[in-house]
Amino acid sequence: MFGKRGNDGFGKGNTVQTPPAPMPPSPSQSSLIEPSSAAPRPAPQPQPAPVAPTRKRQIRTDDYYDTKSQVFAALIDTIDLSQLAKLDVESAREEIRDIVNDIISIKNFAMSISEQEELLEDICNDVLGYGPLEPLLARDDISDIMVNGAGQTFIEVGGKTIDSEIRFRDNAQLMSICQRIVSQVGRRVDESSPICDARLPDGSRVNVIAPPLSIDGPALTIRKFKKDKLNLDQLVKFGAITPEGAQILQIIGRVRCNVVISGGTGSGKTTLLNCLTRYIDVDERIITCEDTAELQLQQPHVVRLETRPPNIEGEGEITMRDLVKNCLRMRPERIIVGEVRGPEVFDLLQAMNTGHDGSMGTIHSNTPRECLSRMESMIAMGGYSLPAKTVREIISGSIDVIIQAARLRDGSRRITQITEVIGMEGDVIITQDLMRYEIEGEDLAGKIIGRHMSTGVGKPHFWERARYFNEDRRLAAALDAMEQKSGAL
């Protein structure tokens, strides 16, 4: 059931002595210990001098990995994995800790209490979790984990990438963990299928690329989701948007505008999409289409669809376009596409044009104008031989609002534009900004200083839609407050 895996560790001093008489197993362990693994009873030997406990986590060495490999091998020989599989996670963890404590006593490894605790935790993580990744996954301040082979792991904290002390025993252990992650969502990664997208149980995005494509060992990238899901109020607190801008976004989500969230990699598009979906009415039927299911909607009537890669024979692939086409037959009121990357944009635009108001999606682009151009390019990728003007008319008639998100050079994330799509003038799509973020400089610590500015639009193009949903007064108040604040600065 469980493979042999290692973890990163602490310092030297793990000398192996001649083992004394084994400790009898506790009643709770007796069902997990196989009869054939009973240890012999050699003559007692003098105990080594006690090692003073250390509080600080030390850099782990090859001596630690050697000790851990011996303990881990003894554990696998001793424990009955079929019985362990019947226990819940906490009970299984306690059983493993008890047995490992006995093994350490039997083999008489010299280590401090803190070192022994670290070893116990590492082995439990190996058997029941994701090994060296567990302490990183437990930290809520980490947004990205980037493993470049067994010997190098980087993390992103506060928008900055730093090197961590985490390392794996070897590439085989790292590959084993990658396979464990992707197998949970019915996918596989190996030499014949070396690229895989998957997700963790909390929705965190996972990408694995394995040898021979990755030369220095498996490359694992995890885009972590926070345990406490962000909302617009928290984005206001972080300075990503003003309170007035957040209120406009609430109204946009509430009055069923067709929205595209545009931004670069790591700019917070999926987070912002999650925030907007909180303002969808609870009685609406929502269908989400994603490559890896990341969206976590709070409404009770949600159907989640996920693409499927081809099998080992190259058959059975279900593309994003297949999902979008199929969900049109499922009586959706809103269609949400996690990330629009190709020809499925045409089907999404058609859905927005045929009564599925309030549909949403995200696109990789750096400006709202570039977002419109990318839609044209993606429609052309689908092989449609439509005139450019016709394509632009479809886009302008389908999209109501483009929200631009950006990750600035200091690592902070901002909503830089809220842009309306007005219509066509000749062959050109006409847009207007409701709000823009203007950079004014940076402080002594290198943090970007800027402000969100109103563009002076008093009556947006979606005003009639807001009035239909009885949100026109709130919209006018938010626009007036944003204009007054911009004029006072």
Side-chain angles (χ1 to χ4, degrees):
M1 172 183 173
F2 302 105
K4 296 184 179 182
R5 308 184 294 148
N7 199 348
D8 51 354
F10 46 74
K12 299 182 178 180
N14 304 327
T15 56
V16 180
Q17 306 292 333
T18 305
M23 295 177 61
S26 63
S28 63
Q29 300 170 356
S30 57
S31 62
L32 297 177
I33 297 180
E34 297 176 346
S36 61
S37 61
R41 294 177 175 269
Q45 297 293 327
Q47 297 292 324
V51 180
T54 57
R55 293 188 177 184
K56 186 177 179 181
R57 187 184 182 95
Q58 301 175 23
I59 297 175
R60 298 177 173 178
T61 65
D62 291 338
D63 288 343
Y64 167 80
Y65 286 104
D66 181 61
T67 301
K68 182 182 171 185
S69 295
Q70 295 181 53
V71 175
F72 192 85
L75 172 67
I76 296 302
D77 290 340
T78 303
I79 202 166
D80 186 347
L81 295 179
S82 63
Q83 293 294 326
L84 187 69
K86 298 177 182 179
L87 302 176
D88 60 79
V89 175
E90 287 304 317
S91 299
R93 186 174 287 267
E94 287 302 316
E95 294 286 0
I96 291 172
R97 290 177 65 90
D98 290 343
I99 296 174
V100 169
N101 272 323
D102 287 350
I103 291 172
I104 292 173
S105 298
I106 291 169
K107 292 184 175 293
N108 201 18
F109 291 115
M111 59 180 64
S112 68
I113 295 175
S114 62
E115 289 172 337
Q116 185 169 330
E117 279 299 314
E118 283 195 34
L119 180 63
L120 289 168
E121 189 65 24
D122 287 349
I123 290 180
C124 287
N125 289 340
D126 284 350
V127 177
L128 303 174
Y130 302 123
L133 297 176
E134 284 291 332
L136 301 181
L137 293 171
R139 288 177 54 182
D140 209 33
D141 61 329
I142 295 176
S143 57
D144 286 272
I145 302 171
M146 296 151 280
V147 183
N148 307 332
Q152 197 175 48
T153 301
F154 290 89
I155 58 176
E156 182 184 302
V157 180
K160 296 294 184 180
T161 301
I162 59 175
D163 194 357
S164 75
E165 296 181 355
I166 297 299
R167 68 184 178 96
F168 296 78
R169 183 183 66 242
D170 50 33
N171 285 327
Q173 183 207 6
L174 174 56
M175 193 64 188
S176 174
I177 292 174
C178 293
Q179 290 169 339
R180 175 176 294 192
I181 292 173
V182 303
S183 66
Q184 291 181 336
V185 291
R187 302 191 177 183
R188 63 186 181 85
V189 58
D190 49 36
E191 288 189 3
S192 62
S193 178
I195 299 177
C196 182
D197 288 315
R199 68 178 187 275
L200 295 177
D202 65 354
S204 296
R205 184 186 311 168
V206 177
N207 175 267
V208 180
I209 182 164
L213 302 186
S214 179
I215 298 173
D216 299 321
L220 170 66
T221 308
I222 300 176
R223 172 70 54 82
K224 280 188 59 189
F225 280 6
K226 289 183 177 293
K227 296 181 177 65
D228 299 325
K229 305 306 174 187
L230 291 177
N231 54 42
L232 285 179
D233 291 337
Q234 289 172 302
L235 295 186
V236 170
K237 182 180 177 182
F238 297 149
I241 188 70
T242 61
E244 297 78 20
Q247 194 165 33
I248 292 173
L249 292 182
Q250 290 180 24
I251 296 169
I252 287 171
R254 167 81 175 82
V255 304
R256 301 188 66 163
C257 290
N258 293 324
V259 177
V260 171
I261 298 175
S262 165
T265 300
S267 59
K269 298 186 299 297
T270 304
T271 298
L272 182 54
L273 185 56
N274 264 324
C275 291
L276 286 182
T277 58
R278 290 175 177 266
Y279 303 98
I280 298 175
D281 289 341
V282 295
D283 59 349
E284 295 185 42
R285 175 174 169 85
I286 308 164
I287 300 180
T288 67
C289 304
E290 302 174 81
D291 283 321
T292 53
E294 301 166 340
L295 296 174
Q296 298 181 342
L297 277 63
Q298 307 301 314
Q299 288 74 12
H301 198 167
V302 178
V303 179
R304 305 170 72 203
L305 306 180
E306 187 176 61
T307 61
R308 186 178 71 184
N311 59 21
I312 195 169
E313 290 83 17
E315 300 176 351
E317 180 181 14
I318 304 297
T319 66
M320 181 67 75
R321 192 170 182 191
D322 296 329
L323 293 184
V324 175
K325 281 183 176 180
N326 185 79
C327 74
L328 294 175
R329 306 183 183 97
M330 299 173 64
R331 198 205 164 274
E333 289 179 291
R334 298 208 196 204
I335 299 172
I336 298 178
V337 180
E339 188 168 334
V340 180
R341 294 176 177 170
E344 67 271 6
V345 68
F346 185 77
D347 300 290
L348 178 62
L349 293 175
Q350 292 290 79
M352 291 175 170
N353 252 327
T354 54
H356 304 95
D357 295 336
S359 296
M360 302 179 184
T362 70
I363 289 182
H364 277 87
S365 56
N366 296 319
T367 65
R369 178 59 60 180
E370 184 183 322
C371 175
L372 298 173
S373 299
R374 277 185 56 81
M375 287 186 191
E376 287 188 61
S377 301
M378 287 187 284
I379 291 174
M381 288 166 55
Y384 297 103
S385 57
L386 298 173
K389 185 175 181 180
T390 302
V391 172
R392 291 169 188 168
E393 285 175 345
I394 294 172
I395 293 173
S396 64
S398 304
I399 304 297
D400 295 314
V401 177
I402 299 174
I403 303 171
Q404 184 70 38
R407 178 183 175 188
L408 306 183
R409 56 186 169 83
D410 64 349
S412 61
R413 293 169 173 86
R414 297 286 185 269
I415 297 171
T416 56
Q417 285 172 273
I418 301 176
T419 302
E420 281 192 292
V421 179
I422 304 298
M424 292 284 294
E425 189 172 294
D427 291 342
V428 180
I429 300 176
I430 304 302
T431 63
Q432 70 175 7
D433 292 341
L434 300 181
M435 183 210 74
R436 286 195 301 266
Y437 181 75
E438 296 183 358
I439 297 177
E440 299 175 332
E442 64 178 57
D443 61 15
L444 296 177
K447 288 290 185 181
I448 297 293
I449 300 173
R451 57 178 178 169
H452 291 89
M453 300 290 294
S454 169
T455 58
V457 175
K459 195 171 184 180
H461 191 63
F462 64 89
W463 179 269
E464 291 302 320
R465 187 187 294 269
R467 189 168 68 173
Y468 176 75
F469 283 89
N470 199 28
E471 294 282 0
D472 51 330
R473 293 183 180 179
R474 195 156 70 103
L475 177 59
L479 289 168
D480 289 345
M482 188 165 59
E483 173 68 17
Q484 291 173 8
K485 183 176 290 186
S486 297
L489 293 175

